[in-house]
């Protein structure tokens, strides 16, 4: 399986240059907004009345343009083989802002996407923005940044971010869920990424491929290699974060025979020190 940046790089060479999610054991809290078309549009609760998104963006990036509804900052982190392979100024847009209960308090979960500030057009297939994430908590009478990561990874296509939502990852814990995907020359890849607040940062706690289809010579022109993964939450021993259950089904190419074979397996993951680790069977 290709890494995210490697996959984007492959598309760059070819192209010239990324509602509530399904109901599950760890139920979705809600989706506030997204820059990509949602599969299921749904009404969203409003943000806390005293929460100002412009002020939040200013707190994160040090500036905010009310006319363009964007902030800017200089990206220092490099993402090889993408449009962000060297430092440069980027323009930041918010694409999700949602209030949710977390750790016994109402907090605001915010996702942003950044594009090159100097690029007049950023809308090709492989034009994937830099994703940022932050969680705001009430400190006295004001909202302040509790956890943040301004440049998590390069995800999305056509200049926009992937679909995203805030999900319930435990009895009293919220988390970001992003579902990036790409289709290129008949091959489709999609994944699920879970981001959680941890020690003042936003960390990737879990990432897995949830869809993989690729053309295969089956004799009738149909696709043979077609595999999907379903991610769900289930109560476990950790009092804060639920376990994750990954159910994989479909077909995949056998490493031994080179032929496509049916697969059906279940993996369990538990939360430990800011990330999910596979439970050995």
């Amino acid at each position: 399986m290709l890494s995210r940046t490697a996959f984007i790089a492959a598309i760059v060479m070819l192209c010239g240059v990324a509602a509530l999610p399904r109901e599950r054991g760890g139920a979705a809290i809600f989706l506030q907004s997204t820059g990509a078309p949602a599969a299921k549009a749904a009404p969203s609760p409003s943000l806390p009345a005293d929460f100002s998104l412009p002020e939040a963006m200013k707190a994160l990036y040090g500036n905010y343009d009310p006319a363009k509804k964007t902030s800017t900052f200089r990206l220092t982190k490099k993402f090889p083989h993408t449009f962000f392979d060297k430092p440069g100024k980027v323009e930041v847009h918010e694409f999700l802002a949602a209030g949710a209960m977390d750790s016994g308090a109402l907090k605001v979960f915010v996702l942003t996407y950044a594009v090159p500030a100097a690029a007049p057009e950023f809308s090709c297939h492989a034009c994937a923005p830099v994703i940022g994430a932050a969680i705001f908590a009430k400190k006295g009478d004001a909202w302040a940044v509790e956890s943040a990561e301004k440049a998590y990874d390069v995800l999305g296509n056509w200049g926009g971010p992937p679909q995203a939502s805030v999900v319930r990852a435990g009895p009293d814990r919220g988390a970001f869920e992003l579902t990036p995907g790409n289709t290129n020359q008949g091959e489709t890849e999609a994944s699920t990424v879970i981001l959680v607040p941890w020690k003042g940062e936003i960390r990737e706690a879990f990432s897995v491929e949830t869809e993989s289809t690729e053309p295969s010579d089956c004799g009738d022109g149909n696709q043979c290699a077609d595999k999907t993964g379903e991610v769900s939450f289930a109560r476990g021993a950790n009092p804060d974060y639920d376990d994750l259950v990954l159910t994989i089904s479909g077909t995949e190419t056998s490493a031994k025979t080179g032929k496509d074979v049916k697969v059906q397996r279940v993996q369990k993951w538990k939360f430990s020190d800011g990330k999910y680790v596979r439970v050995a069977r």
Side-chain angles (χ1 to χ4, degrees):
M1 180 173 61
L2 292 174
S3 67
R4 284 188 289 272
T5 52
F7 185 69
I8 293 170
I11 302 175
V12 169
M13 289 187 288
L14 292 168
C15 303
V17 206
L20 291 170
R22 59 189 178 278
E23 196 68 22
R24 354 177 208 204
I29 299 176
F30 52 77
L31 169 68
Q32 178 69 14
S33 62
T34 179
K40 293 182 180 180
S44 303
S46 60
L47 292 167
D50 62 344
F51 183 84
S52 167
L53 190 56
E55 289 300 317
M57 293 287 282
K58 189 174 181 180
L60 271 174
Y61 301 104
N63 61 85
Y64 183 76
D65 184 333
K68 298 174 68 176
K69 296 183 179 180
T70 60
S71 297
T72 59
F73 80 103
R74 180 160 290 277
L75 185 68
T76 57
K77 188 175 181 180
K78 297 180 181 180
F79 297 93
H81 313 298
T82 74
F83 288 96
F84 305 95
D85 59 350
K86 57 184 178 181
K89 187 178 180 180
V90 294
E91 186 176 79
V92 190
H93 306 252
E94 167 269 329
F95 74 101
L96 183 151
M101 294 300 295
D102 179 85
S103 304
L106 178 62
K107 299 180 183 180
V108 177
F109 289 64
V110 175
L111 286 175
T112 63
Y113 71 97
V115 301
E121 295 289 338
F122 194 70
S123 58
C124 67
H125 190 181
C127 293
V130 174
I131 302 300
I135 294 177
F136 291 81
K138 200 70 174 289
K139 303 294 183 183
D141 295 329
W143 289 91
V145 178
E146 182 179 71
S147 305
E149 172 53 75
K150 292 196 293 185
Y152 155 63
D153 203 352
V154 176
L155 294 176
N157 46 43
W158 300 110
Q163 292 191 31
S165 59
V166 179
V167 296
R168 180 68 62 199
D172 193 28
R173 294 287 185 177
F176 295 104
E177 180 187 69
L178 294 90
T179 53
N182 268 302
T183 298
N184 182 52
Q185 292 191 328
E187 181 175 352
T188 298
E189 288 190 352
S191 59
T192 293
V193 179
I194 303 294
L195 305 180
V196 302
W198 193 256
K199 298 181 179 179
E201 301 176 350
I202 303 293
R203 295 189 182 181
E204 179 182 286
F206 182 74
S207 178
V208 68
E209 185 178 75
T210 52
E211 182 179 2
S212 177
T213 64
E214 57 185 71
S216 182
D217 186 8
C218 305
D220 57 6
N222 293 328
Q223 289 184 331
C224 287
D226 189 346
K227 187 168 59 177
T228 61
E230 291 290 332
V231 179
S232 61
F233 291 91
R235 292 298 298 129
N238 191 304
D240 294 322
Y241 286 93
D242 290 344
D243 293 343
L244 279 178
V245 178
L246 173 64
T247 303
I248 302 169
S249 59
T251 61
E252 66 183 11
T253 303
S254 170
K256 293 183 179 180
T257 66
K259 296 182 179 180
D260 293 328
V261 296
K262 293 287 185 180
V263 294
Q264 180 74 42
R265 55 180 178 267
V266 177
Q267 299 176 358
K268 188 175 181 180
W269 303 67
K270 66 178 181 179
F271 192 84
S272 177
D273 195 26
K275 62 182 178 180
Y276 280 94
V277 295
R278 176 87 177 272
V279 176
R281 289 185 176 273

